[in-house]
Amino acid sequence: MIEQGTNIDILKGKSMAAIFYEPSTRTRCSFTAAMQKLGGNVIYIASEASSVKKGETIEDFVRCMECYADVIVLRSPETESARKASSVLNKPLINAGDGSGEHPTQALLDMYTIREEMGTTGGNICVTMYGDLKYGRTVHSLCKLLALRPKDIRLKFVSPSCLSMPDDIKEYLNDRGVEYTEHRSITDVIDTTDVLYVTRIQKERLSEEEKDIQIVNITPQLLHMSKKTLRIMHPLPRVSEISTEIDSDPRAAYFRQMQYGLYVRMALLSLVVNED
Amino acid sequence: MIEQGTNIDILKGKSMAAIFYEPSTRTRCSFTAAMQKLGGNVIYIASEASSVKKGETIEDFVRCMECYADVIVLRSPETESARKASSVLNKPLINAGDGSGEHPTQALLDMYTIREEMGTTGGNICVTMYGDLKYGRTVHSLCKLLALRPKDIRLKFVSPSCLSMPDDIKEYLNDRGVEYTEHRSITDVIDTTDVLYVTRIQKERLSEEEKDIQIVNITPQLLHMSKKTLRIMHPLPRVSEISTEIDSDPRAAYFRQMQYGLYVRMALLSLVVNED
Amino acid sequence: MIEQGTNIDILKGKSMAAIFYEPSTRTRCSFTAAMQKLGGNVIYIASEASSVKKGETIEDFVRCMECYADVIVLRSPETESARKASSVLNKPLINAGDGSGEHPTQALLDMYTIREEMGTTGGNICVTMYGDLKYGRTVHSLCKLLALRPKDIRLKFVSPSCLSMPDDIKEYLNDRGVEYTEHRSITDVIDTTDVLYVTRIQKERLSEEEKDIQIVNITPQLLHMSKKTLRIMHPLPRVSEISTEIDSDPRAAYFRQMQYGLYVRMALLSLVVNED
């Protein structure tokens, strides 16, 4: 593990253009810290400052930015933006989330967290995904990555019926022979879970009838039923679905998960930015 | 004095997260320049970009930021925010102003300015505070710091009656044996003043009846009555309370005061950021 | 040519304050990258964060910023702002555009582009300016710079009649003996043009009757009529006036022009920032 505060300087003199067409503080700060810790510089472009308002296409805009930068990090609310941008660029582009599309670096850091927290050996790990499995982009991407190791994992999906895992993801898992089961209550599965991945109910995305949904929060009482080796993950921000009372419990891995995100993005940047 | 433009690099590879829940250009730029001049990096988070809007607590948010940074600088309109944040952090936090609470680095730079401009020896210095003494947070904090040296200073408070120094500050001074007097007219005290600390009338904070208040501006004519060794301070921005005609007078210390602020924040950052 | 990604470090430990009272993503990013590639730091101040709202003058504000920075870059919608700011500063100021006034670094990068693309020898170069010649600030400034070499160039202005080159610019050229002609159709002059400088029709600046104006776009078909050595420039952003089909044509110089802008600003910063 890289000790924080060490500056490795392998990207000294290199620039990262961080283009955020929608705010995403955590992702932006993580990429910024990653680039800076490698000795590189960051040029930040927020949506509101963009000349796309003047009628410029995203293709033109990123081509301009690659005149100044060695790598482009792009966050956009539009699904096709990363593909469009990469089609015209000569320099590497990292997709930092494109609407309802993908958020690949989040999926990578989630995978890395499981590997770090559970050890590098495979084994038959039970990963339980809990909360909003319908709109939660991160659990969809994580399912696809976990499906690369169909023998090593079992999945359990726990959600209210109206927020259950979409059919296309379940078909994807079926096609690859990944074992999964669906449940309504977290208490039914907590004792057999190795990794508990909790997601926030995103009130802003719910329909009127869905808005009253409550899920059982993760509390010290619930953890009495869990394995001692359980690890709890969350992409953050959380609202109330995980009690702050368990933050100091070793099973709470979500702040370590944040820090792993920094390392994963450092690794990614150092891989894609070309040496001169 | 550190020569500007010299990069000392003692915080190379370190990151400062500057979290500003309200804009404060001067404070932000001063901290940013301070960190950069020490060789460190800055991650800037403006309020509008914050995920606190999604229901995240400030405690959670700063814990995420400390995954990326080695020191947190926090500015907030809420009085309790610095205390709340520091209660969960493992890394150092610097309060850059918390509403009507404190703005400790401003008070430190004000003290440092008096020390630099008046010389390091003690003596019986007369510090006159002038303008809005009721809402001006900086004069309250400065009073408390000056009270650490009750034998070395005398205070004079000059303001319209409706903007006079609050009772709790005067009690604080009484308790510590600091001598002070109150006045209505700056011309009564200008000739005996060593340090004149002027504050802006913050129109946006005044009630309807207070809004018509005018104070006598500091002009070259007024300075004819002052000591040649007078020093004029102001936390800036000013509106019209100090005439620009005296900017080039050696007695005008307010721009030097800004520069001292950079040095004080450099010193503070280098003290609190831990060596690896 | 400086290889991108090389960090020259001649401004290590120096700070640039980039004050943008109006957004200008391209100019800001170009200056930011330039300073960073020279090893220096950037302090960015956006308009909305400015304390000028509290009644502070621009003179006071830039004097504060020079307490932290070694060079000030100022963009403002007000014509006199650069002059006002420089009148009080002790450190160098670079005008990054002041409303309908000047945008000198754009003019310098345009000149540098012509020099790089056409070779360093003089000769009788035909520069055709096309599009909105009335409101397009860049073509006005470029005319003035080109007038420094009256024997080396011929100018052709092509625009709708209501967007033709202003009289004061034409008088300026007349006074200096620069040859120019005016035209309505790009097809009349494309075959004799060496440098084609295209500008965007800025819909937001047009009157009601002007809004319906259409100009012939630059397409592969039109380029069949041009010299093989033609170079096409554009300050960007473009809307539809240049077809993306010609982006990969060697005659399309506009993205190279962006990159030259980085080099010009690096040169400028290294010239004006004082050595210690």
Side-chain angles (χ1 to χ4, degrees), chain B residues 9 25-26 28 238 258, chain C residues 12 49 51 56 60 64 68:
Chain B
D9 266 358
T25 308
R26 225 166 295 263
R28 174 176 67 83
R238 67 176 157 185
M258 294 291 299
Chain C
K12 183 161 164 27
S51 59
E56 190 176 30
D60 266 24
C64 289
Y68 309 139

Side-chain angles (χ1 to χ4, degrees), chain A residues 188-201:
Chain A
D188 293 347
V189 300
I190 187 70
D191 59 335
T192 55
T193 295
D194 297 302
V195 173
L196 176 61
Y197 195 106
V198 186
T199 63
R200 178 171 66 95
I201 307 283

Side-chain angles (χ1 to χ4, degrees), chain C residues 127-141:
Chain C
V127 177
T128 295
M129 298 180 178
Y130 178 53
D132 171 6
L133 306 185
K134 182 178 175 189
Y135 299 106
R137 183 176 54 183
T138 59
V139 289
H140 304 166
S141 297

Side-chain angles (χ1 to χ4, degrees), chain A residues 49 51 56 60 64 68, chain C residues 4 9 25-26 28 238 258:
Chain A
S51 58
E56 191 176 29
D60 266 25
C64 288
Y68 308 140
Chain C
Q4 196 164 11
D9 266 359
T25 308
R26 224 165 297 263
R28 174 176 68 82
R238 69 175 155 185
M258 294 291 299

Side-chain angles (χ1 to χ4, degrees), chain A residues 12-15 39 41-46 48-51 54-57 59-61 63-70 91 276, chain C residues 3-7 9 23-26 28-30 32-33 36-37 40 48 200 204 236-239 244 247 255 258-259 262 265:
Chain A
K12 183 162 165 26
K14 303 285 185 177
S15 295
N41 297 309
V42 178
I43 305 170
Y44 173 55
I45 301 107
E48 61 267 34
S50 161
S51 58
K54 293 180 184 168
E56 191 176 29
T57 64
E59 288 91 339
D60 266 25
F61 185 66
R63 283 201 71 175
C64 288
M65 287 306 115
E66 85 171 333
C67 295
Y68 308 140
D70 302 283
K91 304 231 177 108
D276 287 328
Chain C
E3 188 176 359
Q4 196 164 11
T6 307
N7 194 319
D9 266 359
S24 176
T25 308
R26 224 165 297 263
R28 174 176 68 82
C29 291
S30 181
T32 297
Q36 290 175 340
K37 283 191 178 300
E48 61 267 34
R200 180 171 64 95
E204 66 272 23
L236 301 181
R238 69 175 155 185
V239 183
T244 57
D247 285 358
F255 288 116
M258 294 291 299
Q259 190 136 11
L262 175 66
R265 290 181 175 117

Side-chain angles (χ1 to χ4, degrees), chain B residues 3-7 9 25-26 28-30 32-33 36-37 200 236-239 247 255 258-259 262, chain C residues 12-13 15 41-45 49-51 54 56 60-61 63-70 91 276:
Chain B
E3 187 175 358
Q4 194 164 14
T6 306
N7 194 319
D9 266 358
T25 308
R26 225 166 295 263
R28 174 176 67 83
C29 291
S30 181
T32 298
Q36 290 175 339
K37 283 192 178 299
R200 179 170 65 95
L236 301 180
R238 67 176 157 185
V239 182
D247 286 357
F255 288 115
M258 294 291 299
Q259 190 136 10
L262 174 66
Chain C
K12 183 161 164 27
S15 294
N41 297 309
V42 177
I43 305 169
Y44 173 54
I45 302 106
S50 162
S51 59
K54 293 181 184 168
E56 190 176 30
D60 266 24
F61 185 66
R63 284 202 70 176
C64 289
M65 288 305 116
E66 83 171 337
C67 294
Y68 309 139
D70 302 282
K91 303 230 176 108
D276 286 327

Side-chain angles (χ1 to χ4, degrees), chain B residues 13 25 40 83 98 141 192 224 234 262:
Chain B
T25 308
R83 192 195 52 71
D98 60 342
S141 296
T192 56
H224 285 314
H234 193 297
L262 174 66

Side-chain angles (χ1 to χ4, degrees), chain C residues 91-138:
Chain C
K91 303 230 176 108
L93 175 113
I94 299 176
N95 181 357
D98 61 341
S100 58
E102 298 282 347
H103 190 0
T105 60
Q106 176 72 44
L108 285 172
L109 80 86
D110 287 342
M111 277 295 278
Y112 182 73
T113 300
I114 294 173
R115 181 180 171 279
E116 281 292 295
E117 294 286 330
M118 302 308 292
T120 56
T121 56
N124 193 8
I125 294 172
C126 173
V127 177
T128 295
M129 298 180 178
Y130 178 53
D132 171 6
L133 306 185
K134 182 178 175 189
Y135 299 106
R137 183 176 54 183
T138 59

